[in-house]
Amino acid sequence: MRPHGRSDILNALQVPIDMSGSTINASTGVLPISGVPLAHAALALGGFAIGTAEFATMSFLPAFTSSFGVDAPTGGHVISAYALGVVVGAPLLAFAGARMDRRNLLLLLLGWFALGNGLSALASSFESLVVLRFFTAIPHGGYFGVAILCAVGMVQQDKQATAVGSVIMGLALATLTGVPLERLHSHG
């Protein structure tokens, strides 16, 4: 059996899963059931990245309010803008992405999120940071919705709750480990 790589994980995000063999099914291009935990881990990693970037903003609040010369309550608008982006983005992306291939949609959403975070780090004014945090948050809800659909589509019905839990575990780990590590980094 060959090791599973990046393309194997992406192929696992398609439905249905081939439950019969131990290698990728050449006709369907999807992983057998043995590749599902790796694909679930990849989905959880995306959730970890999104959760860490979302919640770590609060630990950066003193740094960016000082840099941009605004007080803490005004700086909180960056956090509010992110929350608003999640609320606006989830239904829009559910509608816009309904006909897209799920794995391509996941890659698009994570790419969008990464781009938004990169641009946020380069923001030259407080106002641009607020706008960029809104932009960054738009794919947040869509990612979790699509990731959960992919995860449950890879398993039999009696394992679907566990599949959902594996995706959401990324968000929980972000809260438990990612944010504290970011706090140490930002105050180190």
Side-chain angles (χ1 to χ4, degrees):
M1 186 167 113
R2 67 182 177 88
H4 297 296
R6 180 180 170 273
S7 63
D8 296 344
I9 293 168
L10 295 176
N11 285 332
L13 300 178
Q14 297 182 74
V15 179
I17 286 290
D18 172 21
M19 306 278 194
S20 63
S22 61
T23 60
I24 292 182
N25 183 315
S27 64
T28 63
V30 297
L31 282 176
I33 194 66
S34 64
V36 170
L38 187 60
H40 283 181
L43 294 170
L45 184 61
F48 177 83
I50 289 173
T52 300
E54 173 191 9
F55 298 129
T57 303
M58 290 160 230
S59 68
F60 292 124
L61 187 65
F64 69 75
T65 56
S66 172
S67 293
F68 292 124
V70 297
D71 59 10
T74 302
H77 293 164
V78 170
I79 296 164
S80 298
Y82 189 95
L84 185 60
V86 172
V87 170
V88 169
L92 289 177
L93 290 175
F95 179 74
R99 296 189 188 269
M100 285 184 69
D101 175 71
R102 288 181 184 162
R103 71 178 173 171
N104 290 335
L105 181 57
L106 284 172
L107 290 172
L108 174 70
L109 295 175
L110 285 175
W112 181 339
F113 187 77
L115 176 66
N117 278 304
L119 292 173
S120 294
L122 300 173
S124 60
S125 69
F126 178 73
E127 293 77 15
S128 65
L129 181 61
V130 171
V131 170
L132 287 166
R133 292 308 292 162
F134 175 84
F135 170 81
T136 302
I138 291 172
H140 178 123
Y143 173 81
F144 282 104
V146 175
I148 287 170
L149 287 173
C150 287
V152 300
M154 290 182 232
V155 296
Q156 296 173 349
Q157 190 171 3
D158 64 330
K159 303 286 185 198
Q160 289 180 342
T162 302
V164 171
S166 69
V167 173
I168 299 301
M169 181 176 47
L171 192 57
L173 289 174
T175 305
L176 292 171
T177 61
V179 173
L181 289 173
E182 268 307 314
R183 179 154 170 69
L184 284 173
H185 181 269
S186 70
H187 293 83

